[in-house]
Amino acid sequence: SRYDDKMRKSHFFHTSKKGTTLSFVYSHSYDYKEESVKPFKDPNKDNEIAILKVDSLHYKVNVFKDAKRKKEKYNIDVFLEKNDVNFLELPMEYSRSEEIIQKLKLNLPSDQKYIIKTSNFKSIHTNKTSKFEITKFEKTDLTLVLPVKLKIVDPIWNKE
């Protein structure tokens, strides 16, 4: 997915690879604007996000229910790798994942570039875990094309 900060939308694409050719086909978008057709209700708006530096390339992200920090919702181990481009992405269905990335960036030297090599995600409530790992990272010239009429869907956390 790609987040458009100016338009306050996330756009999702199906990715496939045939030989050396990558294809990206538009799937859907999320609209975070208050004036959207079905107003965005963020159940995570009161969550407290804490970033803990373990070492220069390892960070722990803890997401708490609120500022009291008594009830943990998620924790994520983030392992970085220095690179010649910045690619900081967390593949998770969480309404404030972009905020996590921005807080993580505040802990990193601004004169260096990183990729998130591995992220280990755990939901405390469900006790489910997932791991995302980049095994190969290649630069490419990429242009993603959005349709004129976007397919706006409700995020999973916005369903009644």
Side-chain angles (χ1 to χ4, degrees), residues 87 115-118 132-137:
F87 185 73
I115 63 170
I116 293 180
K117 179 72 174 164
T118 307
F132 175 77
E133 183 174 15
I134 293 178
T135 56
K136 185 177 180 183
F137 189 85

Side-chain angles (χ1 to χ4, degrees), residues 62-74:
N62 295 303
V63 178
F64 298 92
K65 182 179 176 186
D66 54 36
K68 294 177 188 174
R69 294 188 178 199
K70 289 185 179 181
K71 187 171 181 183
E72 191 175 21
K73 289 177 71 172
Y74 310 110

Side-chain angles (χ1 to χ4, degrees), residues 77-149:
D77 270 319
V78 177
F79 297 90
L80 303 170
E81 182 177 277
K82 288 185 179 179
N83 203 299
D84 56 346
V85 297
N86 267 327
F87 185 73
L88 301 175
E89 291 285 327
L90 285 174
M92 57 187 286
E93 286 279 331
Y94 178 64
S95 61
R96 295 176 60 194
S97 57
E98 185 62 29
E99 185 179 341
I100 292 173
I101 295 297
Q102 295 309 316
K103 286 186 177 218
L104 182 60
K105 283 181 182 178
L106 293 174
N107 287 277
L108 301 173
S110 60
D111 63 334
Q112 296 180 20
K113 296 178 181 173
Y114 300 89
I115 63 170
I116 293 180
K117 179 72 174 164
T118 307
S119 59
N120 298 313
F121 173 83
K122 181 177 181 183
S123 168
I124 305 305
H125 174 69
T126 64
N127 203 31
K128 291 187 179 180
T129 61
S130 63
K131 179 178 181 176
F132 175 77
E133 183 174 15
I134 293 178
T135 56
K136 185 177 180 183
F137 189 85
E138 296 179 31
K139 281 197 223 178
T140 185
D141 183 17
L142 175 66
T143 302
L144 297 172
V145 179
L146 294 171
V148 174
K149 181 160 175 51

